[in-house]
């Protein structure tokens, strides 16, 4: 069952270090979305990418955060110089098309980032 | 500015009875609505969706109702089962915004045997 794969499942970083979160979409999906869930809150949209393109990054903090989805390989969400407030669950989702009523997002199991 | 709100953080229901989860939204441009179920330490799983051209969509034990004039939707689970115990998220999107979903804060459903 080739669902959305995220790794690592758990990541611990000290303040000031870099965190790299990886996401492989479902087979055949070329649209990737990153969401963040803070404790006791809902998921918040961060960024939407297609292969080699960032389509919408309106939900991503302007500093320290970046995302890419190269032609080959997984999508990467990178957080530089992490702070305690970055501690959250980061979920990746994919879809077969960017718009339309019949393509719900399929989520991975998330990466839980803890900043100490 | 919460565009999608789930005002009940938790709900407890007896097995076999109906569970009703509610969701309100403020953005009149939303035209596609979804419910996701989430177990601890897992990602959200798509449950059911409805477009704004409908007012009801049914899939087995799950039915979603949409009241556009009230900007309100609800998820009915009948009959409720202990395995339904999870956090349920309501989500919405605008048709021309792809699948950039706006999520509510979630409702934790507990179905007691």
């Amino acid at each position: 069952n080739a669902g959305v794969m995220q790794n690592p499942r758990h990541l611990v970083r000290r303040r000031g270090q870099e965190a790299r979160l990886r996401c492989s979409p479902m087979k055949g999906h070329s649209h990737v979305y990153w969401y963040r869930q803070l404790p006791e809150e809902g998921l918040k949209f961060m960024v939407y990418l297609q292969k080699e393109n960032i389509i919408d990054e309106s939900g991503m903090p302007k500093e320290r955060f970046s995302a890419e989805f190269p032609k080959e390989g997984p999508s990467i969400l990178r957080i530089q110089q992490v702070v305690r407030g970055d501690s959250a669950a980061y979920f990746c989702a994919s879809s077969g098309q960017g718009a339309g009523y019949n393509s719900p997002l399929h989520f991975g199991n998330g990466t839980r980032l803890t900043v100490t | 500015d919460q565009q999608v709100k789930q005002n009940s953080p938790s709900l407890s229901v007896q097995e076999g009875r109906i569970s009703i989860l509610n969701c309100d939204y403020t953005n009149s441009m939303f035209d596609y609505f979804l419910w996701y179920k989430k177990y601890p330490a897992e990602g959200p799983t798509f449950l059911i969706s409805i477009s704004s051209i409908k007012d009801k969509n049914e899939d087995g034990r799950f039915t979603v109702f949409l009241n556009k004039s009230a900007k309100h939707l609800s998820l009915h689970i009948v009959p409720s089962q202990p395995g339904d115990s999870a956090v349920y998220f309501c989500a919405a999107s605008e048709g021309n915004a792809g699948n950039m979903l706006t999520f509510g804060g979630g409702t934790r459903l507990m179905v007691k045997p």
Side-chain angles (χ1 to χ4, degrees):
Chain A
N1 181 13
V4 178
M5 303 300 294
Q6 289 188 249
N7 68 81
R9 289 297 308 273
H10 301 276
L11 183 61
V12 180
R13 286 286 178 267
R14 290 200 179 101
R15 279 181 298 170
Q17 291 185 320
E18 178 179 283
R20 285 195 183 196
L21 290 65
R22 294 175 183 76
C23 169
S24 296
M26 284 183 71
K27 189 176 180 182
H29 285 186
S30 59
H31 301 260
V32 165
Y33 304 78
W34 285 92
Y35 285 79
R36 175 165 68 173
Q37 183 184 23
L38 295 170
E40 305 302 320
E41 293 187 12
L43 286 77
K44 298 283 195 289
F45 167 76
M46 298 182 74
V47 61
Y48 163 32
L49 310 102
Q50 290 182 35
K51 282 286 186 181
E52 301 185 273
N53 289 306
I54 295 175
I55 306 302
D56 189 314
E57 55 183 350
S58 59
M60 203 153 68
K62 295 286 184 283
E63 296 180 357
R64 303 187 298 108
F65 285 72
S66 62
E68 62 178 12
F69 189 15
K71 187 177 180 181
E72 301 292 337
S75 175
I76 306 285
L77 178 67
R78 184 181 293 110
I79 311 172
Q80 296 178 303
Q81 299 174 344
V82 296
V83 300
R84 288 219 172 100
D86 297 332
S87 296
Y90 292 81
F91 291 97
C92 170
S94 72
S95 71
Q97 58 190 76
Y101 299 146
N102 295 315
S103 58
L105 295 184
H106 298 270
F107 283 86
N109 283 331
T111 293
R112 274 142 193 87
L113 172 66
T114 302
V115 180
T116 62
Chain B
D1 175 26
Q2 270 192 292
Q3 297 187 67
V4 178
K5 286 185 183 178
Q6 293 175 254
N7 290 320
S8 298
S10 64
L11 174 67
S12 183
V13 169
Q14 205 67 35
E15 180 180 5
R17 307 293 285 267
I18 184 171
S19 295
I20 300 176
L21 295 94
N22 293 302
C23 178
D24 297 294
Y25 62 96
T26 57
N27 186 345
S28 57
M29 299 300 292
F30 286 148
D31 57 3
Y32 181 47
F33 305 89
L34 309 90
W35 285 94
Y36 280 83
K37 176 168 128 174
K38 186 180 180 303
Y39 293 117
E42 293 185 11
T45 302
F46 169 71
L47 205 53
I48 192 169
S49 64
I50 188 168
S51 76
S52 59
I53 61 174
K54 295 186 175 182
D55 55 18
K56 176 182 173 181
N57 189 25
E58 194 171 350
D59 184 0
R61 296 185 298 113
F62 303 91
T63 303
V64 55
F65 295 92
L66 175 63
N67 182 334
K68 284 174 57 182
S69 60
K71 294 191 178 70
H72 176 85
L73 64 155
S74 61
L75 174 68
H76 292 209
I77 307 173
V78 181
S80 301
Q81 300 173 354
D84 296 330
S85 297
V87 178
Y88 288 78
F89 290 99
C90 167
S93 71
E94 301 176 37
N96 62 358
N99 285 305
M100 290 179 289
L101 301 177
T102 300
F103 281 84
T107 296
R108 184 178 303 278
L109 173 65
M110 292 164 283
V111 180
K112 298 178 181 176

